[in-house]
């Protein structure tokens, strides 16, 4: 389905969203409009910030009305392995981003994908990013149990200037209105640098001390980067990456990425 200039229903709906910018039902109204044109199964509006956990402004309700435990685990620390979060930190820009564009080469082989993503998001995800400054990105993420089609992506790409403009205009009202603790999934809680957390967990549980480079290699491995991708990101050789991995596994007394992921989870819950 396409939106032509003469599609008065679309323009009327956008006008209504502008009127609703300062209202509590803004996010639900925006999502309902998008769902008229593109089918998706879950959504969340949140802000990524450097040094803070994600701040959730609104999300789709769970079927039983209770907080989604998997999403709570995401907010506690799994977001550090989220391709969209990583991309927002590495590439600060507004736009529409697809999972296939931001996910590392081996993303679907990671423990993060197996234990969280395919259970919580299931198949595909697409995200509108509104870059606020170098440290903050306001996002509207849409998850689907089916792969988004080329036609759907083309449609979302066409309307993304409207959506991003609405996100930017909504932010002041989010920041200006105090929200009760039981009405918001998560406040922007300061979190220690992931490297510090992981290092402390490793020291406590394994009595080992990893170098900063080994910690970097470990996190990139857990996010799904191949040795070649890690080498490019860290500006080292692929052989050096393999050496760091070997030393890290030896120090930790582990043999698999699954065991490394378990140590990472311990660090986030500490």
């Amino acid at each position: 389905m396409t939106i032509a200039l003469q599609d008065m229903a679309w323009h009327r709906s956008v006008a209504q969203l502008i009127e609703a910018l300062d209202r509590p039902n803004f996010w639900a109204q925006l999502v309902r409009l998008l769902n008229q044109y593109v089918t998706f199964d879950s959504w969340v509006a949140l802000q990524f910030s450097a040094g803070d956990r994600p701040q959730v402004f609104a999300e789709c309700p769970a079927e039983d009305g209770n907080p989604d435990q998997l999403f709570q685990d995401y907010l506690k620390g799994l977001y550090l392995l989220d391709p969209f979060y990583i991309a927002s930190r590495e590439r600060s820009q507004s736009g529409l981003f697809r999972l296939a564009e931001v996910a590392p080469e081996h993303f679907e082989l990671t423990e993060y994908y197996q234990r969280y993503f395919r259970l919580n998001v299931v198949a595909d995800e697409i995200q509108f990013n509104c870059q606020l400054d170098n440290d903050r990105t306001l996002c509207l993420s849409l998850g689907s149990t089916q792969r988004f089609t080329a036609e759907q992506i083309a449609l979302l790409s066409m309307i993304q200037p409207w959506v991003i403009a609405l996100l930017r205009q909504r932010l002041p009202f989010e920041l200006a209105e105090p929200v009760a603790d039981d009405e918001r999934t998560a406040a922007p809680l300061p979190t220690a640098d992931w490297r510090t957390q992981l290092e402390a967990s490793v020291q406590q549980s394994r009595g080992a001390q990893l170098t900063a480079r080994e910690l970097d290699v470990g996190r990139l491995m857990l996010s799904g980067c191949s040795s070649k991708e890690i080498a490019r990101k860290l500006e080292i050789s692929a052989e050096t990456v393999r050496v760091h991995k070997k030393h890290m596994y030896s120090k930790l007394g582990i043999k698999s990425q699954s065991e490394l992921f378990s140590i990472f989870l311990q660090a986030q819950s500490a």
Side-chain angles (χ1 to χ4, degrees):
M1 182 175 184
T2 59
I3 299 175
L5 189 61
Q6 63 269 28
D7 189 342
M8 297 307 297
W10 167 260
H11 296 290
R12 188 182 307 113
S13 296
V14 171
Q16 292 171 346
L17 279 168
I18 293 173
E19 291 288 341
L21 278 168
D22 62 344
R23 299 173 189 168
N25 69 336
F26 167 79
W27 293 109
Q29 193 169 329
L30 172 58
V31 168
R32 280 197 298 270
L33 174 59
L34 295 177
N35 216 4
Q36 291 177 21
Y37 297 95
V38 174
T39 300
F40 50 88
D41 302 287
S42 61
W43 61 273
V44 61
L46 73 171
Q47 178 178 283
F48 291 143
S49 303
D52 290 336
R53 295 180 183 179
Q55 181 175 6
V56 179
F57 294 137
E59 63 176 307
C60 59
E63 292 183 2
D64 58 5
N66 295 319
D68 185 333
Q69 186 55 52
L70 284 174
F71 189 55
Q72 298 307 308
D73 291 340
Y74 172 87
L75 295 173
K76 289 177 182 177
L78 285 180
Y79 69 89
L80 293 167
L81 304 179
D82 178 6
F84 288 99
Y85 173 81
I86 295 171
S88 76
R89 299 300 90 209
E90 295 180 347
R91 180 175 52 185
S92 301
Q93 64 185 70
S94 297
L96 180 71
F97 296 91
R98 301 170 54 196
L99 178 64
E101 295 172 337
V102 300
E105 182 179 352
H106 295 161
F107 176 64
E108 294 189 2
L109 301 178
T110 64
E111 291 295 313
Y112 171 80
Y113 177 86
Q114 297 295 330
R115 296 196 201 181
Y116 172 79
F117 189 91
R118 73 182 183 88
L119 299 178
N120 206 49
V121 182
V122 180
D124 206 358
E125 186 174 5
I126 200 163
Q127 187 163 286
F128 294 96
N129 278 6
C130 177
Q131 195 63 38
L132 304 170
D133 51 40
N134 289 336
D135 293 331
R136 298 179 304 146
T137 308
L138 178 57
C139 313
L140 177 62
S141 181
L142 310 178
S144 174
T145 57
Q146 304 293 327
R147 298 287 183 186
F148 287 105
T149 66
E151 182 182 16
Q152 290 175 320
I153 293 167
L155 176 56
L156 291 172
S157 297
M158 186 169 65
I159 66 175
Q160 63 101 355
W162 278 289
V163 176
I164 291 175
L166 286 166
L167 297 187
R168 190 178 301 278
Q169 294 303 314
R170 171 63 183 181
L171 184 65
F173 298 106
E174 288 289 346
L175 301 180
E177 296 179 3
V179 179
D181 291 341
D182 59 353
E183 294 179 359
R184 179 159 292 172
T185 301
L189 303 174
T191 181
D193 176 78
W194 67 266
R195 186 184 291 161
T196 303
Q197 287 184 324
L198 184 55
E199 188 174 26
S201 177
V202 166
Q203 181 67 38
Q204 181 178 2
S205 64
R206 304 287 169 145
Q209 187 167 1
L210 302 182
T211 66
R213 187 61 89 192
E214 288 167 349
L215 290 166
D216 285 334
V217 168
R219 181 183 63 86
L220 290 171
M221 283 174 50
L222 290 175
S223 68
C225 291
S226 64
S227 293
K228 185 181 295 185
E229 287 177 303
I230 296 173
R232 177 179 56 80
K233 287 176 179 286
L234 299 182
E235 299 182 337
I236 56 179
S237 70
E239 180 57 34
T240 301
V241 171
R242 285 189 283 271
V243 169
H244 285 311
K245 175 183 175 181
K246 180 179 179 181
H247 288 169
M248 177 174 56
Y249 275 28
S250 176
K251 289 180 181 180
L252 298 177
I254 61 176
K255 297 181 180 179
S256 69
Q257 187 183 125
S258 177
E259 293 176 282
L260 181 62
F261 184 76
S262 295
I263 295 175
F264 178 85
L265 288 181
Q266 292 173 18
Q268 305 316 311
S269 60

